[in-house]
Structures are given as C-alpha cells and as structure tokens.
Amino acid sequence: DQQVKQNSPSLSVQEGRISILNCDYTNSMFDYFLWYKKYPAEGPTFLISISSIKDKNEDGRFTVFLNKSAKHLSLHIVPSQPGDSAVYFCAASSYNTDKLIFGTGTRLQVFP
Amino acid sequence: GAVVSQHPSRVICKSGTSVKIECRSLDFQATTMFWYRQFPKQSLMLMATSNEGSKATYEQGVEKDKFLINHASLTLSTLTVTSAHPEDSSFYICSARDMGGLTPNSPLHFGNGTRLTVT
C-alpha cells in the first residue's frame, strides 16, 4: 500500500518557467512533509519542508503548498534552471515517529 | 552542514558471501539511523530503524537475519547483507537525524548510498 504517491513519473520544463511537482498521501496521521532532490548514485538532499499547521512554505525559488483536506502537496520551482534536473521525492511523517515514508519520485528535466 | 558518510559506494560480491556497509555521521550524533533500499525507478523503501545500543526495528517483510544491523556508537551504524543473492542487488542508503535538531522532525541527512551487485 503506497501511502505517499507521486503520479507523474517525469516532467519536462523549459528553463525560466515554473515546475510544479505533485504528491498525494493517504494517511491522515501524517503531519510533516518534506521534499528531497536526488541525483543518480547519490543520496537524497533535503530541499524544503512543511508542517501541517501551515499551507505554504517558501524558500528562495522553492515553494511547497499543502492542502490537507485534499491530502495533497505540491512543490513549485520558479524560475526553473537546468541544474534543477533531478529526481524529486516527497516524503511524509507523523510527529510521534521518526520514520519517513517516501513517494515514488518524479524525474524533472529542465531544458534550455 | 551535517554530513553522513556511507562506505563503500559500490561493491560487487559473489553469491553466498556477506557484505558490510558502514554509515557514519561525521559532525553530529545520531541515536537513530535509518536504512533504506531503492530499486530502479522506485521509491526509497525503509528497511529498518537502527537504534544505538539496542536492537534494530525492522519493517514488515524485511528479514532481520538477512540484513544484520549494528549501531555500536552514536556515530556509526552498519548493515551486513548476509549470504547475499542476486535479488539482493540494489541501492542501499542510510540516513540520520541530528540529535541537536530543533524538532523531532528535523530533516534526515542521507549518505550517498551503496550500489550492491551480487553475481
């Protein structure tokens, strides 16, 4: 049972435009969400997070939106840059556990 | 920033042998480390939670006798794949959370992973 889903396996965006990566979850106990970026043969690196008490968190070019009623979150990257090309994973956890549950990932390609 | 070092980055072994993977937190202490496994084009699947000074907690479906975890100190956890078989070939990644993190949900820091190939 995949509790965290990223339904788009890939996304292609032109440089300078907005990239929107989506993530859905099923477990209503999740209250903390994170986005990680991963290059091939490397471990994921943390990008941005959001707690369930917020609906938006912004850090530079990265903004995460959370819609708790829809159990949906999204990562916006604007403007997109070629160096953003990587696989993006959303992850979720609940306050009373250390475990992170990852989505299946979306491969973002930013072309010139 | 916090760094997690994982070694080796790549290992090829023969069927039936055992392989040890090390995970170290270089500039912080971690009472808990996590071991993940990633199959090609799939998600990172949590295998087990490594607890310093006590037994690891394994996720459902993960054989504890197959994947031995030892967390001997606050900066080192090891995963040993015993009697490896070709189906154990995968990308294994460890992670840790800085005990000095501001909240219980401070982001995990990941190692660079180990690509295991069993021939």
Side-chain angles (χ1 to χ4, degrees):
Chain A
D1 177 32
Q2 189 72 29
Q3 297 186 66
V4 181
K5 301 178 184 179
Q6 293 174 256
N7 291 320
S8 298
S10 65
L11 175 67
S12 189
V13 172
Q14 188 173 29
E15 181 178 7
R17 295 192 177 269
I18 186 171
S19 296
I20 300 176
L21 297 98
N22 294 303
C23 180
D24 297 293
Y25 60 96
T26 58
N27 190 338
S28 57
M29 296 299 292
F30 290 146
D31 57 11
Y32 191 70
F33 305 90
L34 308 91
W35 284 94
Y36 282 83
K37 176 180 180 180
K38 185 180 182 301
Y39 294 113
E42 292 185 12
T45 54
F46 170 72
L47 270 179
I48 192 169
S49 64
I50 188 167
S51 138
S52 61
I53 62 174
K54 294 185 176 180
D55 54 19
K56 176 183 176 181
N57 189 26
E58 190 173 352
D59 184 3
R61 295 186 299 115
F62 303 92
T63 303
V64 57
F65 295 92
L66 175 63
N67 182 334
K68 284 175 291 186
S69 61
K71 295 191 177 67
H72 177 84
L73 64 152
S74 61
L75 174 68
H76 292 209
I77 306 173
V78 57
S80 301
Q81 300 173 354
D84 296 328
S85 298
V87 177
Y88 289 78
F89 289 94
C90 67
S93 72
S94 57
Y95 188 81
N96 62 351
T97 177
D98 281 344
K99 298 180 186 179
L100 271 187
I101 307 298
F102 281 84
T104 48
T106 297
R107 182 176 300 278
L108 173 66
Q109 184 178 7
V110 180
F111 59 92
Chain B
V3 177
V4 174
S5 173
Q6 190 172 337
H7 178 81
S9 59
R10 186 182 299 267
V11 58
I12 301 172
C13 70
K14 292 186 177 180
S15 254
T17 61
S18 294
V19 174
K20 180 185 282 190
I21 303 170
E22 290 189 350
C23 180
R24 293 180 185 273
S25 56
L26 295 185
D27 55 359
F28 65 97
Q29 294 183 326
T31 54
T32 305
M33 291 186 177
F34 303 90
W35 287 94
Y36 287 83
R37 179 176 182 177
Q38 185 186 24
F39 291 102
K41 297 183 180 180
Q42 294 191 24
S43 181
L44 285 77
M45 301 300 297
L46 179 63
M47 298 175 64
T49 303
S50 171
N51 303 299
E52 188 267 336
S54 65
K55 292 182 179 180
T57 305
Y58 290 82
E59 295 299 303
Q60 190 173 7
V62 178
E63 298 176 60
K64 60 181 180 180
D65 295 329
K66 173 76 172 175
F67 299 99
L68 299 180
I69 290 172
N70 182 272
H71 195 150
S73 76
L74 286 172
T75 59
L76 173 64
S77 175
T78 61
L79 168 67
T80 301
V81 183
T82 63
S83 187
H85 290 283
E87 56 264 32
D88 298 326
S89 299
S90 191
F91 191 60
Y92 294 87
I93 311 174
C94 70
S95 66
R97 178 175 287 117
D98 188 346
M99 287 172 60
L102 294 176
T103 71
N105 292 114
S106 294
L108 289 177
H109 302 285
F110 284 82
N112 276 337
T114 297
R115 170 72 59 194
L116 171 63
T117 304
V118 184
T119 61

